[in-house]
Amino acid sequence: MALGTLAALFALTSCATDAPSTLDTAGTGAERVERTWWLLFWIALAVFVEVMALLAWALLFRRAPTTRVRHGQPLRFVAVAGAGVPLLILVAVYGVGLRDLAMLGAGPEPQAPTIEVTGHKWWWEVRVPGIAGATANELHIPVGERVRVRLRSADVLHSFWVPQLMPKTDLIAGETRETWLEAERAGTYRGQCAEYCGTQHAHMAFLVVAEPRPQFDAWLARLGSPARQPRTDAEQRGRQAFVQGTCAGCHAVRGTADGRAGPDLSDVGSRWSLGAGAVPNDAGHLGGWIANPQTVKPGSYMPPQPIDAARLPDLIAYLQSLK
């Protein structure tokens, strides 16, 4: 029964096919961690098999109580198998760890692209030096290039972690930390705050989009360009509702508003989620988020918005057009 229960639990762990895993790597940094993990796994498995074999041997071939035991050979066995071999294994693993730490600590070239990420309660602000614009909870990197990531915290301790690309790096208030990302293949990789930072710590996710260099350059160009202008009457009315209401006091839309308390919304229509992974980014959830964010993400700093119900669809249309 116990073995059956363990087997069922093991099977359940593989049900979430979209969960990021350090054993499904796509970057050189995470590959180092994966190799060390497998090394430790096989060593632990070998030790387990050896111990079980010795236990089985002791149970099956145990001596009678009257049998005399020689002390020389068992002591030599314990010295070699219990001290010598473990010492060699620990020294080897320690050497591998030092090698990997040196590799992970080596930063990119000075001319490498640089992205600045600031952790807030509970979202990620993304900027690029030399570009005035910003985005939130999504950063782009060119495939096959090592990108420098400068990390800061605006409040408490956070931890920047992209399991498939790189190990964790803590964000400490008042300090600027650095890490790097390098993706071997194009794709979208989920990251997460890995240090408990308050009520909505679990809803502090982000995406890393690895793409070819031309697409990355296009993303940089969009990041520094004014936001898309309204093209329909509904979008125009929604823009007026945004500027004339309370939204513009906290949020920026390039060319329209410059609030800095909350995320920049210049490309909010194309983002993968609302609330840093709290809910999907669609019209229904966006309306609920605007009307009362506390029902979606309790504890977030955004208060309910006193917007007239008749103007809410126009505001949703305008925000969804920002891509």
Side-chain angles (χ1 to χ4, degrees):
M1 184 180 296
L3 290 176
T5 302
L6 289 175
L9 291 175
F10 180 77
L12 288 175
T13 60
S14 61
C15 290
T17 56
D18 59 343
S21 172
T22 54
L23 301 183
D24 180 23
T25 59
T28 53
E31 282 181 355
R32 290 281 184 170
V33 178
E34 181 186 19
R35 292 172 188 170
T36 303
W37 189 93
W38 281 113
L39 174 64
L40 295 175
F41 172 80
W42 290 118
I43 291 174
L45 181 62
V47 171
F48 175 78
V49 171
E50 179 185 7
V51 171
M52 292 299 101
L54 291 175
L55 178 62
W57 179 83
L59 292 175
L60 294 175
F61 302 101
R62 54 187 175 180
R63 294 183 175 89
T66 57
T67 304
R68 297 180 60 185
V69 179
R70 294 177 298 174
H71 296 284
Q73 186 175 356
L75 289 177
R76 189 162 54 249
F77 173 79
V78 171
V80 173
V85 173
L87 178 61
L88 292 176
I89 293 175
L90 289 176
V91 170
V93 171
Y94 184 67
V96 170
L98 290 179
R99 182 201 64 185
D100 291 343
L101 285 174
M103 180 269 177
L104 294 172
E109 299 294 330
Q111 67 274 15
T114 300
I115 297 177
E116 297 178 345
V117 178
T118 302
H120 298 262
K121 294 171 63 175
W122 291 272
W123 59 282
W124 302 89
E125 180 182 4
V126 179
R127 293 183 177 272
V128 176
I131 297 179
T135 186
N137 307 319
E138 184 176 308
L139 58 148
H140 292 230
I141 62 174
V143 175
E145 297 183 37
R146 189 168 293 190
V147 177
R148 179 183 293 104
V149 182
R150 292 179 181 155
L151 302 168
R152 300 183 182 90
S153 172
D155 34 58
V156 299
L157 183 68
H158 301 286
S159 188
F160 181 88
W161 187 31
V162 190
Q164 294 175 276
L165 298 180
M166 195 64 179
K168 306 172 186 176
T169 302
D170 287 342
L171 285 68
I172 300 176
E175 295 186 14
T176 298
R177 315 294 297 274
E178 281 197 3
T179 186
W180 53 269
L181 296 173
E182 182 179 359
E184 297 176 339
R185 62 179 184 270
T188 301
Y189 306 100
R190 176 166 171 151
Q192 178 68 39
C193 178
E195 184 75 30
Y196 181 73
C197 53
T199 307
Q200 289 296 329
H201 160 69
H203 290 149
M204 191 173 171
F206 61 96
L207 286 186
V208 176
V209 181
E211 55 195 2
R213 186 47 131 147
Q215 297 179 23
F216 173 73
D217 292 337
W219 176 74
L220 290 179
R222 291 194 303 272
L223 194 63
S225 302
R228 176 184 178 276
Q229 295 299 310
R231 298 178 182 176
T232 66
D233 292 341
E235 292 174 6
Q236 184 64 44
R237 292 192 300 268
R239 178 178 177 178
Q240 293 176 355
F242 180 89
V243 175
Q244 297 171 1
T246 57
C247 302
C250 294
H251 296 282
V253 172
R254 291 188 292 276
T256 300
D258 57 359
R260 295 291 296 273
D264 189 305
L265 300 181
S266 301
D267 60 352
V268 65
S270 60
R271 291 178 188 168
W272 66 288
S273 73
L274 300 172
V279 291
N281 187 5
D282 54 40
H285 286 97
L286 181 57
W289 176 264
I290 295 171
N292 189 359
Q294 299 304 312
T295 62
V296 180
K297 194 171 182 177
S300 64
Y301 289 170
M302 181 174 169
Q305 300 304 300
I307 182 171
D308 186 82
R311 305 183 71 183
L312 182 58
D314 295 334
L315 179 57
I316 294 173
Y318 170 62
L319 293 176
Q320 287 194 309
S321 73
L322 298 176
K323 300 182 179 180

